Structure formats: C-alpha cells, structure tokens
Amino acid sequence: MQDGVTKIIINSQVSAEGQSEDLKALAKLMNNEPVNLNKYFDYAQRRIKEINEDPEMREKIMLYETRMLEREQAAGKAGYEQGKADSVKIILENQLNNGKTLEQATEFVRNLKLISDKELEKIIDLYK
C-alpha cells in the first residue's frame, strides 16, 4: 500500500483444498468453526470466546473498527481531492502547451469547477 502497510486478504469462504493445514485451520477459525490443530489455534479460539462474551471488549472492538473505517474514508477523500488537484494541473499544462495564456488556461479550468477557486489559485501560483 502507499502508506507502507502490507495487507493480506484471505477469502475464507472458498475451498482451501491444496493449502497448508495452518491455512485451512485459519479459514475455519475465520468462519467460526472449531479447530483442533495446535496450541496457537487453541489460544486464538479461547481469546475469541472471551472477547465475544465480554460486552466491554466488544464495545472497544466496535469503536476501534469504526475509527478505522473513518480513517480509511478520510484517506480516500484526501486521495480523491489530491486526484482532482492533479487533474487540474494536467489540464492547465495542456492548455498552456496548446498556446493559451495563463489567464485563458485558468479561466478554462475554473469553468470546469473541479476544485475551489482558492485551491485553483494555489496551483496557479506555481506557474507565475
């Protein structure tokens, strides 16, 4: 990922045929099925049960998941806004490369209403 995080996605709903016993057991654990493989899975199942039975822990987990979702949505919005600003720069440069003056190019981009006038002015300052 761009933020340096490595994410591993496991689809526990598909057949684990041909996979390692550990991966098969992990898929079962993810599907809330009992697993009898080794002490690590025994510990995981015990902790899951303890957490599920503790209302305070469940609330903390739900709060954490909500915050993570909000963070992802904020990052997505920031990325979206940056993408619009990058698009404006490309359009502006294309206008300039096609013989338009800075004023003409600015007016063309302003009429597209991709970003606010304030943000557009910041970009225009780069070309002055």
Side-chain angles (χ1 to χ4, degrees):
M1 305 297 298
Q2 293 176 352
D3 59 2
V5 172
T6 300
K7 292 187 178 187
I8 299 172
I9 300 169
I10 299 173
N11 183 349
S12 67
Q13 301 298 310
V14 298
S15 171
E17 188 176 325
Q19 300 300 320
S20 71
E21 290 304 311
D22 284 341
L23 193 55
K24 288 178 184 178
L26 179 59
K28 282 184 172 184
L29 187 66
M30 292 170 67
N31 290 320
N32 204 25
E33 297 175 26
V35 177
N36 296 310
L37 184 64
N38 58 40
K39 65 182 180 180
Y40 304 109
F41 284 99
D42 292 344
Y43 172 78
Q45 289 175 102
R46 215 172 30 255
R47 286 296 294 146
I48 290 168
K49 185 175 186 222
E50 289 170 6
I51 290 168
N52 284 337
E53 291 174 354
D54 183 346
E56 186 177 322
M57 268 312 261
R58 288 179 60 92
E59 187 175 329
K60 286 180 182 179
I61 290 170
M62 288 173 32
L63 179 60
Y64 172 78
E65 289 176 346
T66 300
R67 287 185 177 154
M68 290 300 292
L69 179 60
E70 289 170 349
R71 181 176 164 196
E72 287 178 16
Q73 289 173 340
K77 184 176 181 186
Y80 177 73
E81 294 301 322
Q82 182 60 49
K84 289 196 306 186
D86 292 343
S87 295
V88 163
K89 289 176 187 174
I90 291 168
I91 294 168
L92 189 64
E93 288 174 12
N94 283 339
Q95 290 288 306
L96 294 170
N97 289 337
N98 286 321
K100 302 290 184 185
T101 65
L102 183 57
E103 291 77 22
Q104 291 170 323
T106 301
E107 191 59 29
F108 180 82
V109 172
R110 181 175 282 119
N111 289 334
L112 295 174
K113 299 185 187 306
L114 293 172
I115 60 176
S116 69
D117 286 346
K118 183 178 178 181
E119 291 299 314
L120 178 58
E121 291 304 321
K122 289 179 189 176
I123 293 172
I124 298 302
D125 288 344
L126 299 173
Y127 293 90
K128 290 183 178 179

